[in-house]
Amino acid sequence: MNVARQAEAEHLALSQNHLSIIQTAFQCDLTRVATFTFAHGNSDVRFNKLDSKVDKGDGHHGVSHDPSATLAQERIDQIYAEQLSIALQKWKATPDGNGSLLDNTLVVFFNECAIGNFHTIERMPILMLGGKNVGLQSGQLLNFKGSYMNDVWAAICGAYGIEAKFGDAAFAKGPVSGLFA
């Protein structure tokens, strides 16, 4: 088996291993900030080899550009959400300070494009999980019309007492409101 296909076969297990390393680093207070991505934006992981419900044989990037592959893309997104859920259930069961590791961790889960076919960033869904002890206001569906991800990151920094602006000023209006108490 060539190296690329071996990595493909181990893709989900490697993802869980990386998320476990992040968990351990948080538990040991080696860091409280981590960035994780399941794969790069041009990933050629063939999910039809990993899940029988994905009926397209192209790599993930190719599937994201195929207008007839909506169901395959939905399943891939679901697979990644399931993988994140596995890790977050472990974090929820891990005592940490005045709650669980998940209570003390803010997880921001999103795709780099709202619609891969068009590389659009408009109406990009963002899911925020955990963060109870950071003041995340849960159970909301918010619409930040005209805002960019830069503005979400600025709001997150503000929740931690850090004033920040990100990126080109044309794409940063300031922290969005309504996320934190």
Side-chain angles (χ1 to χ4, degrees), residues 24 35 54 102 130 134 175:
T24 301
T35 302
V54 178
L102 185 58
V134 184

Side-chain angles (χ1 to χ4, degrees), residues 106 128 130-132 134-142 178-181:
L106 176 64
M128 294 190 177
K132 176 181 172 185
V134 184
L136 179 65
Q137 296 295 298
S138 62
Q140 300 184 88
L141 175 61
L142 303 172
L179 290 176
F180 300 94

Side-chain angles (χ1 to χ4, degrees), residues 31-175:
T31 187
R32 285 297 180 147
V33 177
T35 302
F36 172 78
T37 183
F38 284 102
H40 58 84
N42 292 323
S43 169
D44 282 327
V45 173
R46 297 171 302 165
F47 277 83
N48 67 324
K49 302 294 184 189
L50 303 176
D51 188 290
S52 62
K53 294 179 185 173
V54 178
D55 64 350
K56 297 290 183 175
D58 293 339
H60 186 192
H61 185 245
V63 169
S64 72
H65 283 281
D66 182 349
S68 70
T70 304
L71 292 176
Q73 184 60 49
E74 286 175 7
R75 179 61 187 145
I76 292 168
D77 290 344
Q78 182 181 15
I79 290 167
Y80 282 144
E82 290 167 351
Q83 293 301 306
L84 181 61
S85 176
I86 291 167
L88 296 186
Q89 291 300 320
K90 293 176 187 174
W91 295 12
K92 185 177 180 179
T94 302
D96 184 65
N98 60 342
S100 72
L101 189 61
L102 185 58
D103 291 335
N104 293 314
T105 304
L106 176 64
V107 177
V108 182
F109 182 60
F110 66 100
N111 193 323
E112 63 190 34
C113 295
I115 302 172
N117 216 16
F118 304 107
H119 288 209
T120 181
I121 57 171
E122 296 173 2
R123 299 190 64 198
M124 184 168 64
I126 304 164
L127 184 60
M128 294 190 177
L129 305 150
K132 176 181 172 185
N133 292 337
V134 184
L136 179 65
Q137 296 295 298
S138 62
Q140 300 184 88
L141 175 61
L142 303 172
N143 186 341
F144 299 121
K145 293 180 180 178
S147 296
Y148 293 92
M149 196 64 197
N150 296 340
D151 302 325
V152 173
W153 293 127
I156 292 169
C157 285
Y160 288 93
I162 302 166
E163 187 176 330
K165 290 186 178 181
F166 294 92
D168 186 328
F171 300 102
K173 297 179 180 181

